[in-house]
Amino acid sequence: MNKTITVLGAGYVGLTTAALLAHAGYKVYAIEPNKKRLDVIKTGKSFFFEEGLDPVIKQAIDSGNLIATDSYEESVPHSSIVFSCVGTPDNPDGSSNLTYVFSAAEQAASLMQEGAIYVQKSTVPVRTGERIIELFKSNGKNFPYVSNPEFLREGTALYDTLFFDRVVVGGSDKKAVTTILDTYRDLEAARDTIAALANVQSTPRKGKYIATSLNSAELIKVSANAFLALKISFANSIAKLADKVDADVVEVMDAVGADERIGRAFLNAGRGYGGGCFPKDVSGLISSGLENGIDLEVMQAAQALNRSMPGYVVEKLKNHIGELGDKKVAVLGLAFKSGTSDVRKSPGVAIANVLSHAGAQTVAHDPQANDEAKEDLRRDVVLSDNALQAVQDVDAIIIATEWPEFTSLDLVECKEQMRGTVLLDAVNIIEKASAESAGLQYIGVGR
Ligand code: UDX
């Protein structure tokens, strides 16, 4: 088996996977159809912000082990493994649009060499693999097909991929499953060297290698994300109650999460979850349930709760400053979380739009995501290049992303710039006492 790999799609997952495997003894082609993005990758950079990734891409491109191209013909026929990492945009009904998943599979299959393995990394609804295997068969092809779900988080993509908790590979061809698991063993062997190059902290963590059936692997991915989303919505529902009974949800979750069976992670209450994965995976799982006659009510409740959070935050603000028609409000944070410029389904963007819709003069600022947010914001939301400028003359500040820049905001200076005094911390990152000693009225979510 030759050690040449093609990765279809050079987005967050594809480009990270391609660049890392290029440092683990493989020659990797990364296919990116978008000319502008392709040109950026060819210069040894990513076209999105991801800590540590650029030096890894740069060295791989310079060494010739990573080749960026838009051509299936140049890459696929030489590869023994083809990873599909193409996008799955949202359909208007919230389900995943699988057009790219199927067209990439069909295009690659027409060029793949005998025995090459097709690996699905894009998040797809359970049973999609069966449909792709049927598609291969209807074209007279019989390639081994495996599902290899991706668990990396944006912002910590390199760390997550190098120091994984688990690698899951599912399929009926045991030899193919073993080959793909071995690819990750090669990556694990190279991980400390790569981590040093990327300036990512190394840990001696030993991840699990898990082989499953095809359908289980598909279901593992969405179930893992759905459970994390459920934890967040659980914390947010307790936060709403804490608001009513004058309890502090942070204290509650610190103690609840100290139970090892529960764990503290993903119990941070606030403005709810966003991003390219949780909202889509939750609605995808609900749809898969309904298609199979199973009503995943618990996930419907988690989804509804999450959708209520941006409005809930704005209502809290109104309770303190009154109707918004004559108010000016700054929203600090537009990325769906810190460490990324991604604004897909971002609660910060939703909050800014709710404010503006309610008539508030709205100014927004994000350290990384201003450009990406522009398109999703209502036209009358004004973008500002820095936080202190954004808070000038405002009646209230809403912090909507947990950027370290906002944790360390000079609150005394903010207070001086503002005309009002309200600080609504929608990610619960500021100490109430420090806000109050700066003369601000502190409001958290559930505290
Ligand atoms: C997620 C999964 O964590 C990852 O395993 C999967 O591969 C892709 O989806 P990502 O979307 O990058 O990763 O971000 P994550 O860090 O999981 O955060 C998702 C959203 O939940 C963010 O909006 C974040 O702010 C929010 N969140 C997270 C909370 O509101 N509270 C928490 O306690 C944790």
Side-chain angles (χ1 to χ4, degrees):
M1 193 141 212
N2 77 40
K3 289 201 134 192
T4 303
I5 290 174
T6 291
V7 176
L8 310 175
Y12 268 103
V13 171
L15 189 52
T16 306
T17 306
L20 291 177
L21 290 174
H23 285 268
Y26 294 86
K27 177 174 176 180
V28 186
Y29 290 94
I31 297 197
E32 176 51 56
N34 179 314
K35 172 96 175 61
K36 246 170 64 197
R37 292 178 170 188
L38 180 64
D39 287 344
V40 177
I41 301 168
K42 280 182 173 167
T43 66
K45 285 202 295 244
S46 60
F47 54 88
F48 48 83
F49 174 71
E50 182 64 48
E51 201 82 60
L53 185 54
D54 281 0
V56 175
I57 296 175
K58 176 88 174 87
Q59 208 182 83
I61 293 266
D62 289 350
S63 70
N65 288 337
L66 177 63
I67 299 152
T69 175
D70 55 4
S71 160
Y72 277 60
E73 285 77 11
E74 182 191 337
S75 51
V76 174
H78 311 294
S79 301
S80 57
I81 301 171
V82 176
F83 280 93
S84 167
C85 302
V86 299
T88 52
D90 283 347
N91 280 324
D93 67 355
S95 64
S96 282
N97 179 338
L98 298 179
T99 313
Y100 299 132
V101 168
F102 284 103
S103 69
E106 192 158 29
Q107 221 179 319
S110 69
L111 294 164
M112 276 162 67
Q113 54 178 254
E114 180 78 27
I117 303 168
Y118 198 81
V119 187
Q120 190 62 255
K121 254 187 145 14
S122 303
T123 301
V124 292
V126 60
R127 307 204 90 151
T128 302
E130 291 176 350
R131 291 170 60 198
I132 295 175
I133 292 169
E134 280 310 309
L135 176 75
F136 285 169
K137 281 191 186 144
S138 70
N139 286 315
K141 311 284 185 188
N142 197 18
F143 300 114
Y145 178 99
V146 303
S147 162
N148 167 219
E150 181 53 63
F151 302 109
L152 65 79
R153 290 163 298 176
E154 291 180 22
T156 49
L158 293 194
Y159 179 85
D160 289 350
T161 312
L162 293 173
F163 303 99
F164 50 86
D165 293 323
R166 74 301 209 194
V167 168
V168 174
V169 181
S172 56
D173 184 324
K174 296 299 163 225
K175 203 164 139 239
V177 169
T178 304
T179 302
I180 301 308
L181 286 171
D182 285 344
T183 313
Y184 286 94
R185 291 194 170 92
D186 291 337
L187 183 60
E188 189 182 4
R191 71 184 185 185
D192 290 324
T193 317
I194 303 172
L197 171 65
N199 207 6
V200 163
Q201 178 86 36
S202 279
T203 58
R205 184 131 68 107
K206 190 93 193 97
K208 283 191 177 146
Y209 291 87
I210 303 173
T212 67
S213 74
L214 176 57
N215 293 357
S216 296
E218 289 174 342
L219 199 51
I220 285 165
K221 164 67 199 233
V222 276
S223 303
N225 274 355
F227 186 72
L228 294 172
L230 196 58
K231 280 186 96 174
I232 299 169
S233 282
F234 173 77
N236 282 331
S237 58
I238 300 298
K240 287 185 175 180
L241 177 60
D243 273 335
K244 288 270 187 245
V245 300
D246 204 14
D248 181 337
V249 72
V250 178
E251 289 178 353
V252 174
M253 291 308 155
D254 281 348
V256 169
D259 183 330
E260 270 182 27
R261 294 168 304 174
I262 298 172
R264 179 64 179 84
F266 285 75
L267 288 178
N268 294 322
R271 76 318 190 230
Y273 58 78
C277 292
F278 285 2
K280 191 153 71 186
D281 290 352
V282 169
S283 51
L285 187 58
I286 292 170
S287 303
S288 292
L290 292 177
E291 275 161 32
N292 291 284
I294 302 298
D295 195 349
L296 293 164
E297 282 169 278
V298 66
M299 293 319 306
Q300 303 209 15
Q303 182 183 59
L305 192 285
N306 193 60
R307 287 180 176 158
S308 78
M309 291 316 290
Y312 181 76
V313 167
V314 174
E315 277 307 309
K316 278 200 88 167
L317 181 68
K318 274 166 61 179
N319 290 341
H320 285 82
I321 67 171
E323 283 308 312
L324 296 170
D326 56 349
K327 303 293 190 311
K328 185 173 176 186
V329 183
V331 177
L332 301 183
L334 296 168
F336 82 95
K337 65 172 189 179
S338 64
T340 174
S341 57
D342 195 339
V343 297
R344 283 176 291 171
K345 295 278 187 302
S346 169
V349 170
I351 289 170
N353 285 338
V354 175
L355 288 167
S356 145
H357 185 72
Q361 208 184 325
T362 309
V363 187
H365 164 72
D366 189 280
Q368 291 290 343
N370 273 6
D371 280 348
E372 291 191 31
K374 223 173 261 170
E375 226 175 272
D376 294 342
L377 287 168
R378 282 168 61 93
R379 236 177 317 145
D380 45 8
V381 175
V382 175
L383 282 164
S384 174
D385 286 335
N386 74 67
L388 281 179
Q389 193 183 42
V391 305
Q392 245 166 36
D393 295 327
V394 298
D395 296 282
I397 299 173
I398 299 182
I399 300 182
T401 309
E402 68 285 22
W403 284 105
E405 286 91 330
F406 301 153
T407 319
S408 59
L409 261 184
D410 183 339
L411 297 177
V412 174
E413 180 69 31
C414 284
K415 166 76 178 46
E416 270 168 29
Q417 299 293 329
M418 296 168 68
R419 68 178 179 217
T421 56
V422 170
L423 175 67
L424 200 166
D425 178 8
V427 277
N428 291 343
I429 52 167
I430 306 269
E431 286 304 324
K432 184 176 181 192
S434 64
E436 286 177 349
S437 71
L440 292 167
Q441 188 187 352
Y442 179 86
I443 309 164
V445 175
R447 59 197 309 222

